[in-house]
């Protein structure tokens, strides 16, 4: 073992750089862009950690991973121990290490962030998860003593999986109900292969299965099963169905052939594998064509970069504010730029045009930033008379999702907010119905994978309370304030 | 996996399947559909549920071999399985007492009209079922419809069975001579559009069951959007039934052609490498 570095020596080390696939190669390939750290790079990066007495990075983590502990184990070369620490709080680390916005969370809180060189916690988490998976460490699971309590989880996306993981670890019998034919929710249908390989999602879901979690696919709650049925068969129910109803721009021409919601475009390509040559599911051919993506979140970046990989000649991201306000992760924006994506800031589509029902172009309105709105971001407003045309063959609308009515319409007594999301007590995820909890995008509106996972874990803890005490409702029910719906995930 | 319990040819390129799908069977109501994947790498296609048998946990589907997936499906026999069946999806038909109801089914659309006719009869309506087909062998479900107590009027384009002519000719005659309180239509888009035009002048409420392209069928993708009264609606969660007088059928027809070339190529590929012909014993 190497002698511990002094604080000064640690400060002199450079932050590790994630090796990336070459931009030229990747704009025609769905292979993962970030290649992962080498053992040496990971260990050196771990050695940079100042081992703060009060590790503020943990406060920045929505699921409270003991970051300082696992980093110390990496520095000592004990990856199994690091993996064990992470697994205490997060059973989906290979996913989180890839898609969490660490810059706003753990890394944003890191004391070294002030100097612009925070510890690359996300890269390290991913490294540990990948090594553990490769070594089969993640397959060693001690099944807890069964409690005999049964819990239904509706939706197998990030919040449902995180909730299922915690409850299964406590020995409860957990069944996850998924509407699609494959588990994973947005991790499967939304986030592309090049950012989150599907085999990694499948491996982490397999981990939950080994823990005893049951998955029922093709199960649309509200249709195949009712919430009342589940409530009568299970001791508690967690609703984590996501937002899942794409918003459109509500402008002329939006139903032309060639206009997709980001959900549809990404689902066709990711879940239904339309990018493979022999796919049974089609996606409109973008080879050599011009594509515009409307929106500025991670979903917009995913759509743009996917279109590029399908052979689009030109891809524009059209966003009504400036780069500064764009909710997408910086890394995604940088990757998009490197792949040749063009950004049109301060522009908004006002009309889509077509010939014989097929999209041929968009009219864009030039915008400028005015006074800050409720979200604190400066409100974009049109510059009178400043419009221009953009010839395009495909448009991808990535402006977020509203709450899906499918389940909600069948449970009128489930209280909801003015925005149509499920109203919960924020600390506990308790809804207005006894024994029913909710979390993730169906509560917050479109947000991030890790926020949804945090909500799933809080609900799991609260479900434990409820199973123990049987007391409902809370002493002073407090309905969550409505947060701003960010177009990110 | 969802087991096929029976598979019977009922018309050229049309088969009737009984499939094990207990969750769907338990909750199905008239007007709803399922999404089916034949194989684990297959596409998701919507198919209307013609009948459900909650006691045995089975559903009945009628499948016309139009594209690759439906043709592949029509090669399957009892004992084979489907990779996925999910539902029942969509809002159920609004079944209540209207008075006299006309249900119009064209071709395999009759399989959509049948459960609606049965439910309307059950709710005490007088039901007239106009069942159209190109020729005699394409007229589906006539005895089943008659068994619901409906008055069944078969008609064929070529006059080989029942009345000669289109369903709308018969419908127009009925509208001229009787008081009709509601019309339900299911079938090819031009037929539904023609039914809407026929009833519009008579101001008879008319409902069409739309069949746009879908992927997930749960509201998530928005691919099935249709224009109704100038507003965009999702057929999977807001429909599939809408006020036929408000539907933009031209848009629907156009959007359904979005993947025409791909579909044609895949269908031809399937026909060239057909594993076994429909109806052949294994």
């Amino acid at each position: 073992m190497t002698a511990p570095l002094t604080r000064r020596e640690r400060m002199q080390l450079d932050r590790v750089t994630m090796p990336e696939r070459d931009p030229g190669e990747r704009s025609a390939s769905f292979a993962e862009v970030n290649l992962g750290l080498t053992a040496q790079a990971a260990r050196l990066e771990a050695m940079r950690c100042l081992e703060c007495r009060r590790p503020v990075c943990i406060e920045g983590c929505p699921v409270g991973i003991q970051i300082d502990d696992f980093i110390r184990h990496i520095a000592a070369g004990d990856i199994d121990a690091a993996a064990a620490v992470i697994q205490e709080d997060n059973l989906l680390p290979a996913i989180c290490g890839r898609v969490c916005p660490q810059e706003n969370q753990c890394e944003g809180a890191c004391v070294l962030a002030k100097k612009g060189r925070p510890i690359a916690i996300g890269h390290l988490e991913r490294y540990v998860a990948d090594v553990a998976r490769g070594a089969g460490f993640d397959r060693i699971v001690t099944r807890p003593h069964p409690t005999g309590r049964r819990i239904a989880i509706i939706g197998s996306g990030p919040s449902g999986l995180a909730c299922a993981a915690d409850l299964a670890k406590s020995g409860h019998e957990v069944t996850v109900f998924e509407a699609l034919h494959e588990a994973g929710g947005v991790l499967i249908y939304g986030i592309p292969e090049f950012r989150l390989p599907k085999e990694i999602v499948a491996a982490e879901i397999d981990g939950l299965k080994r823990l005893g979690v049951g998955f029922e696919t093709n199960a649309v709650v509200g249709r195949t099963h009712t919430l009342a049925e589940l409530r009568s068969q299970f001791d508690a129910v967690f609703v984590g169905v996501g937002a899942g109803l794409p918003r459109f721009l509500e402008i002329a021409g939006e139903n032309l052939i060639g206009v997709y919601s980001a959900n549809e475009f990404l689902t066709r390509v990711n879940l239904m594998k339309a990018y493979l040559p022999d796919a049974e599911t089609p996606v409109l051919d973008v080879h050599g064509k011009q594509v515009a993506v409307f929106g500025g979140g991670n979903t917009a970046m995913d759509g743009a970069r996917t279109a590029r990989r399908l052979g689009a000649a030109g891809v524009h991201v059209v966003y009504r504010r400036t780069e500064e306000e764009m909710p997408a992760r910086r890394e995604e924006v940088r990757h998009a730029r490197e792949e040749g994506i063009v950004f049109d800031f301060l522009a908004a589509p006002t009309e889509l045009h077509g010939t014989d029902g097929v999209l041929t172009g968009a009219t864009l309105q030039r915008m400028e930033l005015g006074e800050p709105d409720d979200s604190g971001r400066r409100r974009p407003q049109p510059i009178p008379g400043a419009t221009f045309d953009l010839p395009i063959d495909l448009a991808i609308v990535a402006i977020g999702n509203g709450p899906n009515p499918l389940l909600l319409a069948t449970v009128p007594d489930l209280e909801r907010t003015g925005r149509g999301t499920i109203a919960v007590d924020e600390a506990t995820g308790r809804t207005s119905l006894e024994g029913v909890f909710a979390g993730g995008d169906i509560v917050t509106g479109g947000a991030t994978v890790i926020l949804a996972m945090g909500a799933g874990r809080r609900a799991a803890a609260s479900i434990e309370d409820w199973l123990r005490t049987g007391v409902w409702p809370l002493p002073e029910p407090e309905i969550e304030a409505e947060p701003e719906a960010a177009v990110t995930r | 996996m969802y087991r096929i319990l029976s598979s019977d040819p009922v018309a050229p390129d049309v088969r009737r399947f009984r499939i094990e799908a207990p969750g769907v069977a338990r909750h199905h109501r008239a007007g709803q559909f399922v999404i089916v994947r034949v194989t684990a790498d297959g596409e998701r296609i919507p198919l209307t549920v013609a009948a459900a048998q909650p006691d045995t946990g089975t559903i009945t589907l009628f499948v016309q071999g139009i594209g690759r997936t439906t043709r592949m499906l029509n090669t399957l026999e009892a004992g084979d399985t489907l990779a996925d069946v999910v539902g029942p999806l969509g809002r159920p038909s609004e079944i209540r007492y209207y008075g006299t109801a006309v249900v119009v089914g064209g071709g395999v659309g009759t399989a959509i009209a049948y459960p609606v006719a049965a439910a309307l009869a059950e709710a005490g309506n007088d039901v007239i079922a106009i069942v159209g087909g190109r020729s005699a062998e394409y007229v589906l479900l006539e005895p089943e419809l008659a068994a619901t107590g409906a008055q069944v009027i078969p008609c064929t384009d070529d006059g080989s069975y029942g009345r000669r002519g289109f369903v709308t000719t018969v419908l127009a005659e009925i509208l001229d001579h009787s008081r009709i309180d509601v019309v339900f239509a299911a079938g090819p888009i031009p037929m539904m559009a023609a039914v809407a035009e026929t009833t519009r002048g008579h101001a008879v409420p008319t409902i069409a069951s739309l069949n746009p392209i879908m992927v997930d069928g749960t509201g998530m993708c928005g691919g099935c959007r249709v224009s109704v009264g100038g507003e965009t609606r999702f057929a999977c969660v807001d429909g599939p039934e809408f006020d036929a007088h408000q539907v933009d059928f031209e848009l629907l027809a156009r959007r359904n052609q979005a993947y025409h070339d791909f579909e044609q190529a895949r269908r031809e590929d399937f026909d060239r490498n057909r594993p076994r012909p429909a109806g052949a014993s294994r």
Side-chain angles (χ1 to χ4, degrees):
Chain A
M1 182 154 170
T2 357
L5 300 179
T6 64
R7 188 181 171 88
R8 192 189 164 87
E9 283 166 335
R10 288 166 200 255
M11 299 280 278
Q12 277 166 353
L13 291 171
D14 281 332
R15 177 180 155 111
V16 71
T17 307
M18 172 61 82
E20 294 168 357
R21 200 172 296 279
D22 172 72
E25 178 196 341
R26 70 190 196 226
S27 53
S29 157
F30 279 83
E32 193 173 13
V33 169
N34 285 347
L35 300 172
L37 301 183
T38 61
Q40 192 189 5
R43 196 162 175 185
L44 267 175
E45 181 64 14
M47 286 176 178
R48 287 179 57 227
C49 178
L50 299 180
E51 300 178 12
C52 303
R53 191 162 302 157
R54 192 174 72 89
V56 282
C57 49
I58 299 178
E59 291 164 27
C61 175
V63 298
I65 295 175
Q66 299 303 301
I67 295 167
D68 57 331
D69 272 358
F70 94 73
I71 288 183
R72 202 171 300 127
H73 288 304
I74 301 174
D78 189 350
I79 306 306
D80 285 3
V85 169
I86 294 176
Q87 290 219 340
E88 279 295 303
D89 295 296
N90 186 356
L91 282 176
L92 308 162
I95 296 171
C96 293
R98 286 171 167 81
V99 302
C100 274
Q102 289 98 3
E103 61 274 27
N104 305 326
Q105 300 175 353
C106 52
E107 294 182 23
C110 176
V111 294
L112 293 172
K114 291 185 196 83
K115 294 198 185 318
R117 303 186 312 138
I119 303 294
I121 300 167
H123 296 345
L124 290 177
E125 180 185 27
R126 169 191 160 147
Y127 169 75
V128 170
D130 287 357
V131 170
R133 192 175 62 256
F137 171 84
D138 62 326
R139 284 191 284 282
I140 305 165
V141 172
T142 350
R143 288 236 189 158
H145 185 71
T147 62
R149 311 305 287 271
R150 306 180 70 223
I151 295 131
I153 309 258
I154 308 174
S156 67
S159 71
L161 292 180
C163 189
D166 278 7
L167 293 168
K169 275 202 287 188
S170 302
H172 304 307
E173 187 187 329
V174 179
T175 307
V176 181
F177 296 86
E178 166 55 47
L180 288 170
H181 56 259
E182 207 175 323
V186 74
L187 305 171
I188 287 287
Y189 74 74
I191 303 181
E193 182 76 15
F194 56 84
R195 203 148 76 79
L196 180 64
K198 299 302 155 245
E199 61 172 32
I200 283 165
V201 181
E204 300 214 323
I205 287 174
D206 278 348
L208 296 186
K209 287 180 181 165
R210 280 191 296 274
L211 205 56
V213 177
F215 285 85
E216 185 181 326
T217 51
N218 295 327
V220 183
V221 178
R223 293 278 191 261
T224 319
H225 308 284
T226 64
L227 184 62
E229 283 171 344
L230 295 188
R231 187 60 197 92
S232 70
Q233 294 158 12
F234 291 84
D235 295 299
V237 177
F238 173 76
V239 183
V241 295
L245 190 79
R247 288 204 184 89
F248 283 89
L249 295 155
E250 291 173 23
I251 59 176
E254 204 151 30
N255 292 330
L256 290 164
I257 294 171
V259 184
Y260 278 131
S261 73
N263 285 2
E264 181 178 4
F265 180 66
L266 292 171
T267 298
R268 285 179 178 276
V269 179
N270 297 330
L271 177 72
M272 306 309 295
K273 314 249 182 299
Y275 68 93
L276 298 175
D278 268 334
E280 300 281 350
T281 300
V283 66
L284 292 171
D285 185 9
V286 297
H287 245 100
K289 295 187 172 166
Q290 296 295 325
V291 177
V293 182
F294 303 123
N298 288 327
T299 308
M301 299 307 119
D302 288 344
R305 298 172 67 198
T306 296
R308 183 70 169 160
R309 283 163 172 76
L310 291 173
V315 182
H316 290 247
V317 169
V318 178
Y319 181 56
R320 62 201 180 119
R321 307 184 203 236
T322 72
E323 180 161 6
E324 224 146 87
E325 290 83 19
M326 213 165 39
R329 292 186 64 196
R330 295 301 100 176
E331 181 184 77
E332 308 308 327
V333 178
R334 178 172 60 79
H335 282 164
R337 276 220 172 84
E338 288 167 2
E339 290 161 15
I341 311 293
V342 178
F343 286 81
D344 296 320
F345 295 112
L346 292 168
T350 54
E351 195 184 340
L352 301 171
H353 323 281
T355 311
D356 299 330
V358 178
L359 179 73
T360 55
T363 299
L364 304 181
Q365 165 72 56
R366 286 271 177 226
M367 312 292 278
E368 60 188 353
L369 291 183
E371 296 301 309
D373 63 12
D374 299 340
S375 72
R377 297 183 296 181
R378 291 176 65 195
R379 189 193 303 273
Q381 50 199 38
I383 301 172
T387 64
F388 64 106
D389 280 353
L390 187 69
I392 48 171
D393 309 290
L394 194 85
I396 298 168
V397 181
I399 56 169
N401 285 278
N404 189 305
L406 213 147
L407 171 63
L408 298 185
T410 65
V411 239
D413 48 345
L414 181 64
E415 213 172 289
R416 57 209 80 178
T417 67
R419 293 188 304 136
T421 53
I422 298 179
V424 299
D425 171 74
E426 195 182 359
T428 63
R430 292 185 179 207
T431 69
S432 60
L433 295 182
E434 182 171 308
V436 179
F437 301 75
D441 283 4
I442 192 58
V443 168
T444 56
T448 63
V449 167
I450 191 69
L451 281 174
M453 290 181 59
R457 295 202 69 202
R458 276 197 305 282
S462 163
I463 287 170
E464 302 270 16
D465 273 352
W466 150 244
L467 292 177
R468 206 167 39 242
T469 64
V471 177
W472 196 285
L474 295 163
E476 276 176 42
E478 199 177 299
I479 298 303
E480 189 197 355
E482 292 176 22
E484 146 88 350
V487 193
T488 65
R489 62 160 181 250
Chain B
M1 299 292 255
Y2 298 78
R3 212 150 55 92
I4 297 173
L5 299 182
S6 67
S7 164
D8 304 297
V10 293
D13 293 329
V14 181
R15 291 178 82 89
R16 178 178 54 213
F17 292 94
R18 252 187 51 225
I19 295 160
E20 245 175 25
V24 182
R26 196 163 51 240
H27 293 289
H28 169 261
R29 284 157 70 193
Q32 292 184 302
F33 63 94
V34 286
I35 295 250
V36 167
R37 281 204 318 159
V38 178
T39 61
D41 55 3
E43 65 171 333
R44 296 169 64 96
I45 56 162
L47 294 169
T48 300
V49 179
Q53 302 81 35
D55 299 346
T56 53
T58 56
I59 57 171
T60 305
L61 301 178
F62 284 74
V63 180
Q64 184 169 24
I66 299 170
R68 177 188 177 89
T69 302
T70 47
R71 286 185 190 194
M72 191 186 295
L73 183 43
N74 277 354
T75 64
L76 301 182
E77 298 286 352
D80 289 337
T81 55
L82 300 176
D84 300 287
V85 176
V86 57
L89 299 169
R91 290 156 59 128
S93 309
E94 200 183 323
I95 302 296
R96 56 181 172 84
Y97 178 75
Y98 293 93
T100 303
V102 174
V103 176
V104 185
V108 78
T110 306
I112 303 171
Y114 164 68
V116 178
L120 286 169
E122 178 80 31
N125 293 281
D126 290 320
V127 179
I128 302 167
I130 307 174
V131 185
R134 250 184 295 161
S135 55
E137 64 266 36
Y138 287 96
V139 175
L140 299 182
L141 286 163
E142 193 189 348
E144 287 86 350
L145 281 164
T148 68
Q151 178 195 344
V152 188
I153 308 174
C155 53
T156 51
D157 299 359
D158 64 359
S160 55
Y161 184 65
R163 296 277 308 272
R164 174 193 288 270
F166 295 127
V167 289
T168 39
T169 319
V170 179
L171 178 61
E173 282 173 25
I174 293 172
L175 290 170
D176 284 340
H177 296 106
S178 344
R179 181 199 150 88
I180 300 300
D181 300 294
V182 69
V183 173
F184 283 82
I189 295 168
M191 185 209 89
M192 292 191 287
V195 166
E197 286 322 300
T198 308
T199 59
R200 195 188 300 275
H202 296 268
V204 176
T206 302
I207 293 146
S209 178
L210 306 188
N211 55 344
I213 292 170
M214 289 186 188
V215 185
D216 62 293
T218 63
M220 191 266 283
C221 85
C224 66
R225 57 198 193 276
V226 292
S227 177
V228 182
E231 276 183 34
T232 294
R233 312 288 298 275
F234 292 2
C236 67
V237 288
D238 300 327
E241 294 186 352
F242 294 100
D243 177 351
H245 295 148
Q246 303 286 321
V247 170
D248 184 342
F249 285 104
E250 207 184 304
L251 177 73
L252 175 63
R254 215 164 43 216
R255 284 183 61 84
N256 274 5
Q257 292 299 308
Y259 304 100
H260 175 271
D261 294 353
F262 174 91
E263 286 165 355
Q264 186 175 328
R266 298 301 288 163
R267 180 174 61 236
E268 285 168 4
D269 176 73
F270 177 78
D271 288 346
R272 265 196 307 277
N273 306 299
R274 215 175 173 96
R276 53 177 194 260
S281 60
R282 293 189 299 150

